[in-house]
Amino acid sequence: MTDISIDGARLISRIQELGSLGRDGDGRLARLAASDADKLGRDLFVSWLRTAGLDVAVDRIGNIFGIWEPPGCEGKLPFMMGSHIDTVINAGIYDGCYGVLAALEVIEAMQDEGFAPSRPVVVAAFTNEEGVRFAPDMMGSLVCSGGMDTDTALATVGTDGALLGDELGRIGFAGPKEPGSLKPAAYVELHVEQGPVLEREGIDIGAVENLQGISWQKVTINGTANHAGTTPITMRSDAGYGAARVVTYLRERALASTSPMVATVGCIEFEPNAINVIPSRATLTIDLRHPVEDRLLEEERALSEFLGRLAADEGLSITTERLARSTPVVFDQRIVAVIEDAAKKRGLSYRRMTSGAGHDAQMMATIAPTAMIFVPSVDGISHNPAELTHDIDLIAGANLLLDVARILAKS
């Protein structure tokens, strides 16, 4: 089964071409969901789908599907591959886009080979995976899998005050298809790792068997603004100090953990934000992740108890707001085993691993057997213009996806 390969040169060329679209005056890549820049990427992708002879379907949340349905496959649930083509601000060119374009290459290789699948084969590009302009992230796949009502999602207000539904209509991607009507028999997502493990261990392929649960909270700490020079340290109600304690607590908690727990304070703001005024308010975000639900719940409880003690000790008022919460996902073990076997036959080294990032696959796993394939990321850099995966690894991952697709499209 390893005698067939995708067109590696075309894959790399398409990644580069798509990566050239949606850059600002400073050359930064930013194709935020439902923006004019996103439209450029969508239009190019749809043109490639049509060139490949695929039927193009767009649902109401803007998810794009390229459908290959050879004779004899009618009425059967499809095998689906995909990811997303929206980006963060000042992005790299691989995150999400690689999985979408590799899936298209897989279908084209099957067509060239004369492969006869037992079911339709579909490439999907999901809307608003990154969640930069509209929240929550992974929205397209969330709606597609029934985790969020379509009308609620379309009414989401973006960071610029725009409504998602209006913006999808404006750029021509408010489709007629009801989200979820194209339910897959199985879903596989190919992605760059976005972490350093594969490269540092010298391993070609990650067979992703589970995905961390994610807990996002906003914490607001209220104290008392006062003069920075005349107020003794022991008589302060310092919201800024409270925020620093939270940052330190999370770091020390993660370092002391014997499990793969991670914690991040990604945003922090002080009020009044003056050099000579004790902060009266600190607002910060907390990102907790763990691959085991019970342990993630434990970390959430421990954080809540710490905040209670901190408030009492420092004379502060602390409130929390839930921003997002996803439970850990265990992927389909049969598909993970298919990935491992295909890697072995290709002569690729592999290891099972956990994804620390969120992906559309975690949403699709709620409605169909699902797994992911990772390829190495240089220095583990992602969400950054320096993001890089070597061409040889990109092509190897796409060929592995081809082998997996040939099995699952026949099952």
Side-chain angles (χ1 to χ4, degrees), residues 2 52 100 122 126 141 182 202 208 214 218 239 260 271 306 341 343 377:
T2 60
V100 173
V122 175
F126 292 106
S141 53
L182 191 66
V208 185
I214 303 174
K218 181 171 77 171
E271 296 177 24
F306 170 78
D341 186 59
S377 296

Side-chain angles (χ1 to χ4, degrees), residues 321-383:
E321 177 188 351
R322 170 80 68 202
L323 299 178
R325 179 61 157 82
S326 62
T327 58
V329 173
V330 177
F331 288 135
D332 186 87
Q333 293 302 294
R334 182 182 74 89
I335 300 180
V336 174
V338 168
I339 292 168
E340 291 177 310
D341 186 59
K344 187 184 304 181
K345 290 178 178 177
R346 283 268 177 188
L348 299 169
S349 57
Y350 60 91
R351 59 161 287 177
R352 291 198 174 202
M353 61 192 307
T354 296
S355 172
H359 298 283
D360 291 310
Q362 77 185 72
M363 304 305 174
M364 300 306 290
T366 65
I367 60 171
T370 296
M372 293 188 71
I373 301 168
F374 278 173
V375 294
S377 296
V378 174
D379 294 329
I381 295 173
S382 189
H383 285 184

